[in-house]
Amino acid sequence: MTLLPFIVLIGAMFLMTRSAKNKQRQAAQMRDQMGPGTGVRTIGGMYATVKEVHEDAVLLEVAPGVHAFYAKNAVGAVLDDAEYNRIVHGIDPDDTADDVDADDAADDTPVVPDDASSLTEAEDETADTEAADEDKKTDLSKPSAAADAPKEDKRDDDADAK
């Protein structure tokens, strides 16, 4: 009778370590699936594309032209292409229906300029409109009585009665 709690405790510990080893094995298999071009999510929640896989580290492209080394253990999930494109690029595979042409989809995407010249032109136009708006602004503050009254020469020894 006194051995029963001890046996239950050992059994529970065995089950817990077994499930932990299972999770570690699955995580190792997932990380082995990584290859160049695979989309991943780090344990910090950052989405990136794998560029190179090394023994203990992986080179990730976190933004176009921005690369960073991460430990393989920092990769939380290896994503399939459809899920990665849906999350990162906003491309939903269900939206590509037969009735929507590729030309219509291309018209909806915003155009991003390659250089900053078009951005500075827009800033110049907004600066001109802001200057014109400042000229049109109305002063809504109340005029003070002291400003309208003639200024008298006051001395330090004169006391104001209030």
Side-chain angles (χ1 to χ4, degrees):
M1 207 54 172
T2 59
L3 291 176
L4 185 62
F6 187 67
I7 293 172
V8 169
L9 182 63
I10 290 176
M13 289 174 54
F14 173 74
L15 291 175
M16 286 189 295
T17 57
R18 184 176 169 200
S19 67
K21 285 182 183 180
N22 249 352
K23 286 181 182 180
Q24 288 177 350
R25 183 180 47 80
Q26 289 173 349
Q29 285 177 349
M30 175 208 47
R31 290 184 187 107
D32 289 340
Q33 294 174 357
M34 283 190 302
T38 307
V40 295
R41 181 181 64 234
T42 65
I43 57 175
M46 182 177 59
Y47 293 91
T49 305
V50 177
K51 287 297 178 182
E52 297 175 6
V53 179
H54 301 282
E55 188 173 326
D56 292 330
V58 63
L59 179 66
L60 300 178
E61 184 176 32
V62 295
V66 179
H67 298 89
F69 273 106
Y70 278 84
K72 274 189 176 180
N73 293 339
V75 174
V78 177
L79 308 172
D80 58 345
D81 289 338
E83 184 179 5
Y84 182 77
N85 287 332
R86 180 184 60 81
I87 294 171
V88 175
H89 302 294
I91 301 170
D92 196 5
D94 297 336
D95 286 345
T96 56
D98 293 334
D99 58 339
V100 178
D101 292 333
D103 295 333
D104 293 339
D107 293 338
D108 293 339
T109 57
V111 177
V112 179
D114 288 340
D115 59 348
S117 63
S118 62
L119 299 175
T120 56
E121 291 171 4
E123 287 178 8
D124 293 340
E125 292 173 7
T126 56
D128 293 339
T129 57
E130 286 176 1
D133 288 344
E134 286 180 15
D135 294 339
K136 295 179 185 177
K137 289 183 181 176
T138 306
D139 185 19
L140 299 176
S141 62
K142 293 183 180 179
S144 64
D148 293 340
K151 294 184 180 179
E152 296 179 10
D153 212 9
K154 289 191 178 183
R155 294 185 201 145
D156 289 339
D157 57 305
D158 292 339
D160 291 336
K162 286 189 180 180

